Amino acid sequence: MSGAPVLLVIAHGSRDPRHAATVHALARRARALRPGLRVETAFLDFNAPRVEQALSALYASGVREVVALPLLLTRAFHAKADVPAVLSESVSRLPGLSVRMAEVLGPSPLLVSALERRLAEAGLAPADRATTAVVLASAGSSDPEAIAVIAETAREWRHTGWCAVRPAFASAALPRTQDAVRELRAEGHRRVVVAPYVIAPGRLPDRIAAGAAEAGADLVAGVLGAAPELARLLLLRYDAATAAPARLPALTA
């Protein structure tokens, strides 16, 4: 696969060292699934390399084709503005560089599978599904499209056998995790669990966990992290970006 475009995974970045470690672990898992594919990581903020630094380094090594994949669950501001802007700047600066931006990760059945994996790892048994209410706790966004996607994901997940699935947000939107837990309890649900719909640890996932503990949730799953389903999803988004040029934007100097 030496002639294939490089996959550049773009994460937000965080002062929390667990964030970058998780992103790198996910990239390693994707490499293991696709031997020979070059997979690199970059960050919008807080961590190195920044996106422009990563693209400059790839360019200096002779790379001219890149698929940039935003490590985001919804198409909110970062996917609509920040990532395209930094990619466009690099393309205009590096003659002959072609960058194709892949779609964000969500929504996808693989993300739901990863959520269920994390709940099982936290101790929830398959037989508990029908008597369990779930809070789908995301980071939050001020973008209505992103909020609608989270709400729809919760509705669809509910149809797989949970007695209830309620979206919640750590910032920028309501309800908060603790309020969603309390609402489900008030509705009579005896077992309420929280499934963080976030990729890597950091301030907002910690806020989700704190809210769950404050409201007395029965169980809190881990973040999605380097789940095998996410690694598979990275490669699916990469393949779609390379195979469907008419549908996805390409940035070329």
Side-chain angles (χ1 to χ4, degrees):
M1 297 207 43
S2 58
V6 171
L7 171 57
L8 181 64
V9 178
I10 300 175
H12 181 273
S14 171
R15 292 186 177 90
D16 188 323
R18 297 173 298 169
H19 177 94
T22 300
V23 173
H24 292 311
L26 180 56
R28 285 194 298 272
R29 184 155 239 163
R31 288 188 203 104
L33 288 175
R34 184 80 55 92
L37 175 63
R38 185 172 178 181
V39 181
E40 301 290 345
T41 55
F43 301 88
L44 289 172
D45 205 355
F46 301 117
N47 302 104
R50 300 290 181 90
V51 177
E52 58 272 22
Q53 295 169 331
L55 286 171
S56 293
L58 287 169
Y59 188 83
S61 72
V63 171
R64 294 296 180 270
E65 287 189 86
V66 175
V67 169
L69 195 161
L71 198 61
L72 302 167
L73 297 176
T74 60
R75 285 193 73 253
F77 182 79
H78 292 306
K80 293 176 179 178
D82 288 347
V83 175
V86 71
L87 295 179
S88 295
E89 185 279 328
S90 293
V91 164
S92 65
R93 181 171 47 82
L94 302 169
L97 178 66
S98 175
V99 178
R100 185 167 299 283
M101 183 172 160
E103 296 283 3
V104 298
L105 298 182
S108 169
L110 284 170
L111 291 172
V112 174
S113 296
L115 288 165
E116 295 189 342
R117 172 187 293 275
R118 294 301 186 228
L119 284 170
E121 290 170 349
L124 196 69
D128 294 333
R129 181 187 293 262
T131 55
T132 299
V134 182
V135 175
L136 178 67
S138 76
S141 173
S142 58
D143 187 307
E145 179 185 347
I147 296 302
V149 167
I150 299 297
E152 180 61 22
T153 299
R155 281 192 294 271
E156 291 184 1
W157 198 16
R158 160 72 179 81
H159 295 315
T160 64
W162 304 99
C163 62
V165 179
R166 188 72 46 81
F169 309 93
S171 67
L174 296 174
R176 296 287 185 259
T177 302
Q178 56 269 36
D179 296 326
V181 171
R182 292 186 182 110
E183 287 168 7
L184 288 167
R185 290 270 193 233
E187 291 170 12
H189 299 290
R190 296 184 61 186
R191 184 188 295 112
V192 180
V193 302
V194 174
Y197 193 52
V198 291
I199 295 172
R203 178 175 56 89
L204 294 179
D206 285 350
R207 188 180 295 175
I208 289 170
E214 174 191 324
D218 295 286
L219 178 153
V220 183
V223 299
L224 298 173
E229 293 85 359
L230 262 71
R232 289 168 53 201
L233 186 53
L234 293 187
L235 297 176
L236 285 175
R237 295 291 186 253
Y238 170 86
D239 291 340
T242 57
R247 189 172 64 86
L248 297 170
L251 303 167
T252 308

